Amino acid sequence: HAYLFCGPRGTGKTSTARVLAKALNCVNGPTATPCDECPYCVSIRQGNAIDVIEIDAASNRNIDDMRQLREQVNYPPVELRYKFYIVDEVHQLTRDAFNAFLKTLEEPPGHVIFVLCTTDPHQLPATILSRCQRFDFHRITQEDITERLHWVVAQEEWTIEDEAVHLLARAANGGLRDALSLLDQAASYAGTDITAQHIRDILGGIDL
């Protein structure tokens, strides 16, 4: 009922949590291959599913927030099979908030699934860690980032130099989200024809 996704930023923890929500709630599910076409999958993909609740622990980190969560989990899901909570940056909860949250993890209702996402699992209490199934995410390879950037450029019908893609993949340091953000900046700066020099300009002229 509780999963812990750990890893560097931009490596797909929250995105994978949403895919897991689809897998458990798909009309054909639970399934390892959600259809991404049924009303449940579509609502999760579009961020409209009222039973998939994303919480930013950096701004909802106090004991009162966790007490409110403990009350909410008792209500059954409205549309989906499971009420699905994604708690991002969970390590930023206060000690009292963790203690309040622990009660929910110890005795969860059967209709609730938690995914806790963090870049720093060492800051989580052992009592929380012991009640979660842990998955470690790792930095994405430059080859995979390069392949994805080429795919995005093709979808947008832009052009980009191979060296420019290489520079973006190096600068992202294993984070696909950072690579896509840099590509966005490059498109805003250079338009639809992106060169390596444009990327150097954006990165401050550092030759990576």
Side-chain angles (χ1 to χ4, degrees), residues 60-67 70 92-103 128:
N60 298 275
R61 61 194 303 266
N62 296 314
I63 187 170
D64 290 340
D65 298 311
M66 289 301 104
R67 284 173 175 164
R70 283 174 55 181
Q92 297 204 31
L93 292 178
T94 65
R95 184 184 64 180
D96 289 340
F98 272 126
N99 289 336
F101 185 44
L102 179 61
K103 183 67 173 177
I128 299 291

Side-chain angles (χ1 to χ4, degrees), residues 130-198:
S130 66
R131 287 166 174 80
C132 298
Q133 186 171 359
R134 175 171 171 166
F135 295 87
D136 287 280
F137 288 62
H138 303 283
R139 296 188 188 279
I140 300 169
T141 65
Q142 289 187 39
E143 291 77 10
D144 287 339
I145 292 177
T146 297
E147 181 181 343
R148 189 63 176 178
L149 291 176
H150 276 302
W151 182 86
V152 171
V153 167
Q155 295 300 307
E156 297 292 340
E157 298 183 346
W158 301 339
T159 59
I160 189 169
E161 292 180 354
D162 287 342
E163 185 184 357
V165 175
H166 174 73
L167 290 170
L168 288 172
R170 287 283 302 276
N173 194 27
L176 181 59
R177 185 175 62 222
D178 289 347
L180 294 172
S181 295
L182 287 170
L183 178 62
D184 244 357
Q185 291 179 40
S188 298
Y189 175 73
T192 59
D193 188 8
I194 303 168
T195 67
Q197 187 56 50
H198 291 140

Side-chain angles (χ1 to χ4, degrees), residues 17 55 77 192 206:
I55 300 170
T192 59
I206 299 174

Side-chain angles (χ1 to χ4, degrees), residues 77-143:
V78 177
E79 297 176 341
L80 303 180
R81 189 176 292 114
Y82 293 98
K83 183 175 281 191
F84 203 91
Y85 287 89
I86 302 172
V87 186
D88 205 13
E89 299 299 336
V90 68
H91 64 272
Q92 297 204 31
L93 292 178
T94 65
R95 184 184 64 180
D96 289 340
F98 272 126
N99 289 336
F101 185 44
L102 179 61
K103 183 67 173 177
T104 301
L105 282 184
E106 286 177 332
E107 301 173 2
H111 58 260
V112 173
I113 300 290
F114 289 103
V115 176
L116 313 181
C117 302
T118 179
T119 55
D120 195 351
H122 303 294
Q123 293 192 35
L124 271 64
T127 50
I128 299 291
L129 291 171
S130 66
R131 287 166 174 80
C132 298
Q133 186 171 359
R134 175 171 171 166
F135 295 87
D136 287 280
F137 288 62
H138 303 283
R139 296 188 188 279
I140 300 169
T141 65
Q142 289 187 39
E143 291 77 10

